[in-house]
Amino acid sequence: MAGSGESARTTAASPPGPPPGFGEGAPPDNALHALGFEYTRITGSEVLGRLAVTETCCQPFKILNGGVSALMAESTASIGGYMASGYRRVAGVQLSINHLKPARLGDRIEAKANPIQVGRNVQVWEVQIWLLDPATSEHKDLVSSARVTLLTNLSTPEEMKIYEKGIKKYAKL
């Protein structure tokens, strides 16, 4: 890019902005959305969401990949922590997850995140991932149990404040 040196350096140094269209209804978590995860409840005291276990989510043995469970745990806890902190930026600093029973290809699962401790600087959330009964959609078997620790005393860059608008839109599910 000869002749554009100054503008190229300025552009490269700019902080990234929010995802395109986020404040207009884009999903709260792009990675989970790409897997088909759907949030059903978002508050500062509970976050719920469901996922159909597809081939994209599975290991070669047609069992839910443990990394998908970890992603569900950290994402649901982080969104709940973001709301519970008054829309301050959060960062996961510890994730511990136990995989208790398999979820198989074709199963539907639900993540349920609840705070254990909501402090000014640190929050601790418990996330349970349940296998859903196909006939009733009730919790059947506990698939995974996780504990997520979040740092919550981070300032939110101005260009990311639009995220709050998007989360509030989803919180009215």
Side-chain angles (χ1 to χ4, degrees):
M1 291 180 47
S4 62
E6 186 59 40
S7 64
R9 278 193 295 273
T10 304
T11 303
S14 299
F22 182 80
E24 296 131 31
D29 185 290
N30 287 329
L32 280 179
H33 182 72
L35 295 174
F37 188 86
E38 297 176 20
Y39 286 93
T40 56
R41 179 174 170 83
I42 298 176
T43 70
S45 60
E46 182 176 64
V47 177
L48 296 171
R50 292 184 174 187
L51 177 71
V53 180
T54 64
E55 287 192 22
T56 304
C57 305
C58 285
Q59 333 169 335
F61 304 107
K62 308 293 185 205
I63 302 292
L64 179 67
N65 187 301
V68 173
S69 299
L71 176 63
M72 290 171 62
E74 184 152 359
S75 295
T76 55
S78 293
I79 288 172
Y82 177 71
M83 290 192 70
S85 69
Y87 303 100
R88 296 182 70 188
R89 186 169 57 119
V90 300
V93 294
Q94 173 69 32
L95 169 65
S96 174
I97 187 164
N98 293 298
H99 305 291
L100 307 170
K101 289 197 179 227
R104 292 179 167 73
L105 179 64
D107 286 342
R108 285 193 51 79
I109 55 175
E110 180 174 68
K112 180 180 180 187
N114 297 100
I116 295 171
Q117 172 65 36
V118 176
R120 210 173 6 185
N121 299 315
V122 174
Q123 293 182 19
V124 179
W125 285 69
E126 177 182 38
V127 183
Q128 294 180 331
I129 299 174
W130 292 89
L131 180 64
L132 296 176
D133 185 313
T136 64
S137 291
E138 296 292 320
H139 292 173
K140 184 177 175 184
D141 293 314
L142 185 59
V143 173
S144 298
S145 179
R147 188 163 289 209
V148 182
T149 304
L150 304 169
L151 189 60
T152 60
N153 61 353
L154 305 169
S155 62
T156 303
E158 198 59 42
E159 65 273 6
M160 292 304 295
K161 298 241 174 168
I162 194 167
Y163 189 73
E164 179 180 334
K165 182 178 176 185
I167 290 293
K168 285 180 178 178
K169 190 175 215 175
Y170 266 83
K172 294 178 183 173
L173 300 170

